[in-house]
Amino acid sequence: MAVDIIIYHNPACGTSRNALAMIRNAGIEPHVIEYLKTPPSRALLVNLIARAGMTARDLLRQKDTPYAALGLDDATLSDDALVDAMMAHPILINRPLVVSPLGVKLCRPSEAVLDLLPTRQRSAFAKEDGEPVVDADGQRVA
C-alpha cells in the first residue's frame, strides 16, 4: 500500500531520528524534508499549525534556539509574530512534525508518530537510548 507521509526532520535530533525510524519500521518510506535546509513557506507553516490543532506557540522550540534572545517568552506576542520568528529562524520550529493521511502532529515524544501510521510496525523497535516502543508482535509497549 502506497502511503504518503511527510516528516519535517532534523537529522541532528534524536527524537526526529526515532520518529523517522518508526515510520520506516512500518514499511513506509516518507518524504523527508530537512526543514533547516528547506523551510516550509509561511502559508504552509500556518496551514500545518492549524491542521495539527496547535497554536504557533505550541510549535515553538525553546531549547538550543534564539528563543530567549529574541524575547519570544513574551506572552503578548501574536501567532503572526511567532510565525515570523520561525520563518526568520527555522531552528525555532519544533520537530519532528509529521503529516499523514491520518493527520498532522508534532511527534514529541517520538512514539506519537505511531498514531499517524496506517500500517503496523513490522518488527520490534527501541529508541536510540534503548527504550522499547514496539514489541516483537508489532504492538506498542505500554
Side-chain angles (χ1 to χ4, degrees):
M1 160 170 62
V3 179
D4 195 23
I5 304 274
I6 300 167
I7 181 170
Y8 290 89
H9 178 61
N10 180 348
C13 172
T15 301
S16 195
R17 289 191 306 270
N18 284 322
L20 177 58
M22 280 183 261
I23 295 168
R24 289 179 171 153
N25 194 46
I28 300 166
E29 185 53 43
H31 301 282
V32 178
I33 299 173
E34 290 188 31
Y35 70 93
L36 294 177
K37 294 179 181 176
T38 310
S41 69
R42 187 183 207 302
L44 178 57
L45 184 60
V46 169
N47 177 273
L48 291 170
I49 291 167
R51 288 174 59 199
M54 304 172 72
T55 66
R57 187 163 298 283
D58 294 334
L59 189 61
L60 196 58
R61 182 168 176 81
Q62 297 179 28
K63 185 179 172 188
D64 301 323
T65 72
Y67 175 87
L70 294 172
L72 298 176
D73 57 344
D74 180 348
T76 66
L77 290 173
S78 68
D79 274 3
D80 280 340
L82 297 176
V83 169
D84 288 344
M86 286 186 257
M87 294 307 303
H89 307 277
I91 192 71
L92 289 166
I93 301 170
N94 213 340
R95 74 273 180 166
L97 192 60
V98 177
V99 181
S100 96
L102 300 177
V104 177
K105 186 179 242 183
L106 175 61
C107 294
R108 298 189 77 80
S110 57
E111 57 268 27
V113 76
L114 297 173
D115 298 333
L116 295 176
L117 302 178
T119 58
R120 293 176 45 132
Q121 295 287 286
R122 292 182 167 185
S123 62
F125 182 86
K127 293 182 185 183
E128 291 178 358
D129 66 3
E131 178 187 346
V133 177
V134 175
D135 66 21
D137 295 322
Q139 298 297 315
R140 191 183 294 205
V141 175

